Amino acid sequence: MKRALVTGANGFIGSHLVRHLLGRGYDVSCLVRQTSDIRSLAGLPVRIHIGDVRQPETLMAPLGGAEFVFHLAAELMALEKEAFAATNTQGTIHMLDATLRVKPATFQRFLYVSSQAAAGPAASTQPMTEADPRRPMSWYGTSKSDSEEVIKGYAGRLAVTIVRPSSVYGAREQDLSQTFPLVNSRLHPKLGILPKYIVAVYVEDLVRGFADAAESPHTIGRTYYLNHPEILSARDVIQGIADGMKKPAGLTVPVPLFLIQTAAPLAELAHRFTRGRPSMTRDKAREVSQRYWVADPSAAQRDFGWVARFHMAEGMRPTTEAWRAEQDELCAMAKEDVLWVKYLMVASVVGGLIELQSHLGGFYTFDPGWLVWVVIFGAFGLALGSMAMLLRKTAGLVQFLAGTTLAGTAEALNAAVFHAWTFRAGWPLGITNDYIRAALLGGAGGAFVLLVNGIMRSLYGWRLRMGDSNEP
């Protein structure tokens, strides 16, 4: 039985590779960090080793007896250049040195998973080949390019192979899937003004390529792009997602590049508080702003017979189905106890923050003043919180319309009958008509329902990661 070590085994691609290797009869060991979420490896017949490629003393034991090393561990969304270099470049040096020290006589291959970003984007729709010079334009790409250069220096001492995946999609992917909620609501984002082109690969095709490249005697010392040869426009990608969801029609929504570039520092700031994976970084924004991420995978077919089998239309069906199943699980919150009470608490806290901001801004006043507590716990907590809980499994549009109707009705009744709160003249937006104001603030109620459900899903996801993981 072949013995393999997979670093970064709990990640999106790594967890798929582990399953593929097990299916090929490998004995698999997995290197993960102490803080890693390893739910993706739950129930698999593998050995889990705790270690960190930045700490060479933790690498010797996991590597013992490994005939194949699949090195995927990497920093993908760091906020500083030095963090990329420490993990992706220096970490790879640590892995190579440790492998040299403990490799068995039957050692077969060190396969390094680099990235298309290591070579940088093409100049046009003419796909890049492995013979083209590397011109990375991001910190991440530079760290991967530097790692490739380091690996070539070990070629005389280790059997090494480098693979460069393109954009990868599949179950548990976290980047492209950020567009799924929009597409699911029949909104098709269009990034920038000029057309953009990419190549992509379905994760099951990709991990098969890793194993094929590692096992082939013809790939030693070589570098390969691994992607489907079809060149896709950004519109093709969004349409592929929509078709996978069986919602082919949608409204095109322009997304200016400056919006992504402006949102990136805000996402980084949020990451510093939450420590979760940032949805965007300035480094990633530089990559997604490029027009031509296209590469030619024909060398892989020539040298070891690998061809991507899944067109995007085929691969997106299981990808979007897995995403929908994950969203359904988060919405159901089946493992939550006293769910209603938690909804009331979250809605009341958010409502309290809204009322605090309104008080500080002098937007409106209550008469008598104690009515603010009725609004916080009754309107926000009980009414809108209960509505959010009851509608948590429905479409976002349904949640928004229901919240809008409830809040708008309350504002209209206050204006016509109760007069429990009085708005500052001309607030908001210079509006003086009570019923136009009620309609506008009703929309805020719809957004409130969506926000509460978003917070509850995030808290439930955090509970699953922390409370139901298999980490030691």
Side-chain angles (χ1 to χ4, degrees):
M1 180 180 288
K2 301 171 184 175
R3 299 188 64 185
L5 173 69
V6 179
T7 71
N10 62 299
F12 160 50
I13 299 174
S15 59
H16 283 275
L17 175 61
V18 168
R19 285 170 170 78
H20 183 79
L21 293 176
L22 290 172
R24 289 171 82 134
Y26 277 73
D27 178 7
V28 180
S29 294
C30 302
L31 179 68
V32 300
R33 290 189 290 185
Q34 179 68 44
T35 56
S36 294
D37 174 6
I38 59 173
R39 285 178 296 153
S40 60
L41 302 175
L44 298 181
V46 297
R47 285 181 298 278
I48 302 294
H49 295 274
I50 303 300
D52 192 320
V53 297
R54 297 169 299 182
Q55 300 169 353
E57 69 277 7
T58 68
L59 304 179
M60 306 294 283
L63 281 163
E67 299 167 299
F68 292 84
V69 176
F70 295 87
H71 181 36
L72 284 73
E75 189 67 69
L76 303 177
M77 302 285 280
L79 308 191
E80 293 87 22
K81 181 178 181 180
E82 293 74 18
F84 284 115
T87 298
N88 299 352
T89 307
Q90 190 59 46
T92 298
I93 293 173
H94 292 158
M95 282 295 301
L96 289 163
D97 287 341
T99 302
L100 277 175
R101 285 196 290 271
V102 303
K103 67 183 180 74
T106 55
F107 183 81
Q108 298 293 312
R109 195 66 53 90
F110 186 104
L111 184 125
Y112 177 63
V113 179
S114 183
S115 169
Q116 188 181 9
S124 68
T125 54
Q126 178 64 37
M128 292 184 68
T129 71
E130 295 83 354
D132 292 322
R134 300 190 303 271
R135 296 190 180 91
M137 41 67 59
S138 63
W139 294 338
Y140 170 70
T142 299
S143 69
K144 286 291 192 176
S145 177
D146 291 347
S147 298
E148 289 191 13
E149 199 62 34
V150 165
I151 288 169
K152 290 178 181 179
Y154 285 75
R157 293 171 285 168
L158 276 178
V160 296
T161 300
I162 298 171
V163 290
R164 294 175 181 164
S166 62
S167 296
V168 188
Y169 62 97
R172 301 187 295 280
E173 185 271 340
Q174 299 184 64
D175 294 320
L176 184 60
S177 59
Q178 292 184 59
T179 66
F180 288 7
L182 287 174
V183 179
N184 192 48
S185 299
R186 297 189 184 275
L187 298 175
H188 292 187
K190 179 183 182 298
L191 183 61
I193 298 174
L194 298 175
K196 293 177 171 54
Y197 300 92
I198 69 165
V199 289
V201 62
Y202 182 50
V203 68
E204 298 297 340
D205 276 336
L206 180 65
V207 297
R208 175 173 53 84
F210 290 176
D212 288 351
E215 293 177 358
S216 172
H218 307 297
T219 60
I220 296 175
R222 302 294 301 272
T223 300
Y224 297 96
Y225 283 111
L226 296 182
N227 57 268
H228 195 285
E230 181 182 15
I231 296 177
L232 302 163
S233 68
R235 182 176 181 179
D236 293 333
V237 174
I238 296 299
Q239 192 60 55
I241 297 169
D243 291 342
M245 292 181 170
K246 299 180 181 178
K247 295 183 176 182
L251 175 66
T252 298
V253 179
V255 180
L257 282 175
F258 78 82
L259 187 62
I260 301 295
Q261 294 158 351
T262 302
L266 299 177
E268 291 182 4
L269 180 62
H271 163 74
R272 294 187 187 278
F273 284 97
T274 66
R275 309 313 299 173
R277 188 180 193 271
S279 57
M280 181 57 66
T281 64
R282 287 167 292 174
D283 193 58
K284 192 67 173 178
R286 284 191 287 270
E287 291 183 357
V288 301
S289 299
Q290 305 305 307
R291 294 188 61 195
Y292 304 108
W293 286 106
V294 292
D296 179 3
S298 59
Q301 181 177 8
R302 179 197 65 215
D303 288 358
F304 59 99
W306 179 83
V307 177
R309 298 168 182 167
F310 286 82
H311 292 272
M312 178 160 281
E314 299 168 307
M316 269 301 169
R317 282 195 291 273
T319 300
T320 55
E321 286 170 1
W323 173 80
R324 184 171 282 115
E326 180 182 0
Q327 296 305 304
D328 289 345
E329 179 185 4
L330 290 175
C331 290
M333 303 184 194
K335 297 183 180 180
E336 279 288 9
D337 46 8
V338 293
L339 182 61
W340 183 60
V341 173
K342 292 180 179 178
Y343 260 95
L344 264 58
M345 291 174 61
V346 168
S348 296
V349 169
V350 175
L353 293 174
I354 292 172
E355 291 304 331
L356 175 62
Q357 181 184 25
S358 300
H359 174 73
L360 294 175
F363 301 150
Y364 48 83
T365 57
F366 288 91
D367 186 20
W370 54 262
L371 282 175
V372 66
W373 300 107
V374 176
V375 170
I376 290 174
F377 294 107
F380 285 115
L382 183 61
L384 289 173
S386 297
M387 175 174 284
M389 185 195 73
L390 293 172
L391 298 178
R392 68 188 187 278
K393 298 181 185 180
T394 63
L397 181 60
V398 173
Q399 297 177 39
F400 178 79
L401 291 176
T404 296
T405 301
L406 181 60
T409 300
E411 292 288 352
L413 286 173
N414 179 68
V417 180
F418 300 115
H419 310 294
W421 55 89
T422 304
F423 290 94
R424 188 179 69 200
W427 188 89
L429 305 175
I431 296 172
T432 57
N433 184 286
D434 289 338
Y435 299 101
I436 294 177
R437 182 188 292 117
L440 178 65
L441 295 180
F448 181 88
V449 171
L450 292 173
L451 175 61
V452 169
N453 271 326
I455 293 171
M456 288 297 294
R457 283 195 300 271
S458 296
L459 291 174
Y460 187 65
W462 179 83
R463 172 185 171 173
L464 292 179
R465 289 192 300 273
M466 301 303 294
D468 296 323
S469 75
N470 291 328
E471 283 191 345

